[in-house]
Amino acid sequence: ARERAGMRQGADDDRLLRLSLVAVWLVTAVVSIVELDGQSRRVLAEAGIASPPWLVQLLIVGGAAADLVVGLALWWRPGRASYLAALGLLLLMTAVATGLQPALWLHPLGPLLKNLPIAALLWHLYRRAVP
């Protein structure tokens, strides 16, 4: 009975971790669009990407769409494929951000540093998911 309770607790913990990641991706998608003409554009402008305007908008909307797709996949279709997709997107966006603004690694709020524990959570969930 204890073993079964422990397994159930582990599954509940994994569900909580997964839902926290869903929130990260979905809220990021929404905020990117809400801030389309504010912070989203400023982030790209600080990286030297301010024109043409259609490219800036495409990058923001494309990134938000990718976040939305991954967030929904983690929510509706949790499993190895969605964890790998999320990890791949995280690594890609981290690499791009590092290339454009390496100083973000030194930012006091850790916009890139936070990706390390997120990657660890995704890897944990991937390993525990049924193949």
Side-chain angles (χ1 to χ4, degrees):
R2 274 189 185 182
E3 186 176 321
R4 204 171 25 241
M7 289 174 61
R8 189 172 51 247
Q9 181 64 46
D12 289 345
D13 291 347
D14 287 355
R15 184 171 186 269
L16 179 62
L17 293 174
R18 180 178 58 81
L19 291 176
S20 71
L21 293 173
V22 166
V24 167
W25 261 278
L26 294 182
V27 171
T28 299
V30 169
V31 169
S32 294
I33 297 302
V34 167
E35 285 293 318
L36 181 66
D37 291 320
Q39 291 183 63
S40 295
R41 285 192 192 277
R42 269 194 306 278
V43 166
L44 288 175
E46 288 170 6
I49 304 170
S51 64
W54 64 266
L55 176 61
V56 173
Q57 185 157 341
L58 178 68
L59 291 172
I60 295 167
V61 172
D67 287 335
L68 178 65
V69 167
V70 167
L72 291 175
L74 290 171
W75 187 9
W76 289 335
R77 298 273 191 187
R80 286 184 158 207
S82 61
Y83 300 137
L84 279 181
L87 187 57
L89 180 62
L90 177 80
L91 293 174
L92 175 65
M93 289 188 161
T94 301
V96 169
T98 298
L100 293 173
Q101 290 189 352
L104 288 175
W105 282 101
L106 303 175
H107 192 284
L109 297 178
L112 292 182
L113 194 58
K114 70 171 174 42
N115 290 348
L116 296 177
I118 292 173
L121 288 174
L122 287 165
W123 185 247
H124 166 80
L125 291 170
Y126 172 80
R127 287 184 36 221
R128 289 184 47 98
V130 176

